[in-house]
Amino acid sequence: MRIGVLTGGGDCPGLNAVIRGIVRKGVEVYGYEFTGFRDGWRGPLDGATTPLGVAEVRGILPRGGTVLGSSRTNPLTVADGIRKVKENLAAHRVDALIAIGGEDTLGVAAALSGQGVNVVGVPKTIDNDLNATDYTFGFDTAVNIATEAVDRLHTTAESHRRVLVIEVMGRHAGWIALHSGVAGGANVILIPEHRFDMEQVCAWVEQRFRINYAPIVVVAEGAMPVEGQMVLKDDTRDAFGHVRLSGIGEWLAHEIEARTGKEARTTVLGHIQRGGTPSAFDRWLATRFGLHAVDAVHDGAYGTMVALRGTDIVRVPLAEATARIKTVDPALYAEFDVFFG
Ligand code: F6P
């Protein structure tokens, strides 16, 4: 049996740990052979492959990024895309495919599964917004990086009596903002799921100064004011139709300064959240996902995604896992009201 492996979408700490888990168990326990597909769905679409065996996965466990490369290529929007993918899988004698990715990459996997391709999915995204799994790998690392940034910003905010705004990733879901904001002791946390009122934000900022502290505002890139829209970086869209976000932090600092007269500055964490070595938890989770994904192939459980439920790894239908994203529940967000202001 020959298995193809690909990593799609934004890179994410732990991708290499998944690949290593798949290959080590696949070769050593099941005697499988592997083909690495380059750059997400571009690999099967263009027939771009790379050797993948035990030698290729040696030493990659603590490395960020992905040794297979990644892209946001979408074969469903390319003429004859599905046929080309099927032909290239056959040309490389690939019997089954393991696709490691977020909602877009796994959405393609679900569509291909419906067209008879043997595919198993592994959930990846620093945003933690994939439905059907309690956590995605990469999220813990991103939260740790964002929390450390919040910790560091406290000292500058207090020394200079400034409002410091920190913009983190999170297009439709505010998981990184919420977790890092709570862990870092932010005074305002703004998430895409809950439109914010600028008057209220300014009231929290002023309240913080009144008790002789300086406010830290954590904002997810997809957060929106009650009256207004998402702030876009530019007009471009990727192959899945996503706009590029970023700018809400700068907008907020400007508004806060104009309305309160307090100096306000912004830090945009950007790709720093996705870069570098994965946390121990992400290596653990990614390794387990890899081991269970190759077991799923062995069992012929195609059309499924491995998922974390509590402490167990389970299999869920790909179609169910990609049907909707997982957002922050309003009741969970409200738990932290006491810390605002
Ligand atoms: O994959 C999720 C994500 O981290 C989003 O939070 C963010 O909007 C996006 O990736 C940015 O991706 P890129 O670097 O490819 O523009």
Side-chain angles (χ1 to χ4, degrees):
M1 161 100 100
R2 176 174 287 276
I3 303 175
V5 183
L6 66 85
T7 55
D11 71 330
C12 180
L15 281 167
N16 287 325
V18 181
I19 297 167
R20 172 178 172 270
I22 291 169
V23 172
R24 288 288 298 274
K25 186 159 190 184
V27 171
E28 292 171 24
V29 177
Y30 298 126
Y32 293 155
E33 292 179 322
F34 288 90
T35 294
F37 282 103
R38 293 289 316 172
D39 309 336
W41 289 111
R42 189 186 78 78
L45 192 63
D46 296 348
T49 63
T50 186
L52 187 59
V54 172
E56 283 75 22
V57 300
R58 202 160 283 140
I60 69 172
L61 173 64
R63 276 172 56 193
T66 161
V67 291
L68 295 178
S70 194
S71 76
R72 296 191 188 273
T73 304
N74 182 357
L76 304 182
T77 59
V78 173
D80 270 344
I82 293 184
R83 183 180 57 77
K84 286 179 187 159
V85 166
K86 282 181 160 180
E87 280 176 6
N88 282 323
L89 292 179
H92 288 90
R93 296 178 291 106
V94 168
D95 306 296
L97 193 58
I98 298 179
I100 311 164
E103 50 161 331
D104 297 329
T105 303
L106 297 183
V108 174
L112 287 174
S113 168
Q115 299 284 326
V117 176
N118 295 335
V119 56
V120 166
V122 176
K124 166 244 60 155
T125 166
I126 64 162
D127 294 347
N128 197 38
D129 60 357
L130 257 176
N131 199 26
T133 185
D134 288 353
Y135 287 99
T136 50
F137 67 87
F139 173 64
D140 182 66
T141 306
V143 168
N144 281 319
I145 293 168
T147 303
E148 190 191 340
V150 175
D151 286 347
R152 288 177 184 279
L153 290 172
H154 273 292
T155 55
T156 301
E158 274 154 31
S159 303
H160 293 265
R161 294 278 154 168
R162 282 178 190 155
V163 183
L164 288 186
V165 177
I166 171 168
E167 181 185 299
V168 299
M169 281 186 172
R171 194 181 274 277
H172 303 294
W175 293 109
I176 297 176
L178 186 62
H179 281 235
S180 63
V182 170
N187 316 111
V188 182
I189 302 171
L190 305 175
I191 61 173
E193 294 86 339
H194 184 92
R195 283 185 178 253
F196 61 86
D197 174 3
M198 216 38 236
E199 291 294 315
Q200 175 67 82
V201 170
C202 291
W204 283 328
V205 161
E206 282 171 333
Q207 190 176 323
R208 192 73 185 161
F209 279 116
R210 272 200 298 278
I211 56 168
N212 278 334
Y213 283 103
I216 301 281
V217 179
V218 178
V219 60
E221 62 183 353
M224 283 172 281
V226 174
E227 284 168 12
Q229 288 307 313
M230 279 182 181
V231 180
L232 310 185
K233 190 166 178 60
D234 53 42
D235 292 336
T236 53
R237 282 178 187 268
D238 67 22
F240 291 88
H242 300 306
V243 288
R244 272 202 197 167
L245 299 180
S246 186
I248 185 66
E250 201 52 54
W251 182 88
L252 261 174
H254 181 267
E255 281 295 305
I256 291 170
E257 201 165 291
R259 291 174 186 235
T260 66
K262 303 286 186 194
E263 184 182 3
R265 302 277 190 93
T266 300
T267 300
V268 181
L269 272 194
H271 294 108
I272 289 170
Q273 291 156 99
R274 294 205 320 227
T277 187
S279 68
F281 177 81
D282 281 337
R283 294 182 208 182
W284 157 264
L285 180 59
T287 298
R288 290 191 76 201
F289 278 159
L291 298 173
H292 283 260
V294 81
D295 287 344
V297 170
H298 183 71
D299 294 346
Y302 299 123
T304 65
M305 180 189 88
V306 292
L308 180 69
R309 292 273 169 83
T311 55
D312 294 333
I313 307 289
V314 299
R315 295 170 191 165
V316 295
L318 265 172
E320 180 195 310
T322 55
R324 62 183 181 86
I325 62 162
K326 182 179 67 184
T327 51
V328 175
D329 189 278
L332 177 65
Y333 183 59
E335 275 183 28
F336 307 102
D337 276 355
V338 65
F339 297 117
F340 290 6

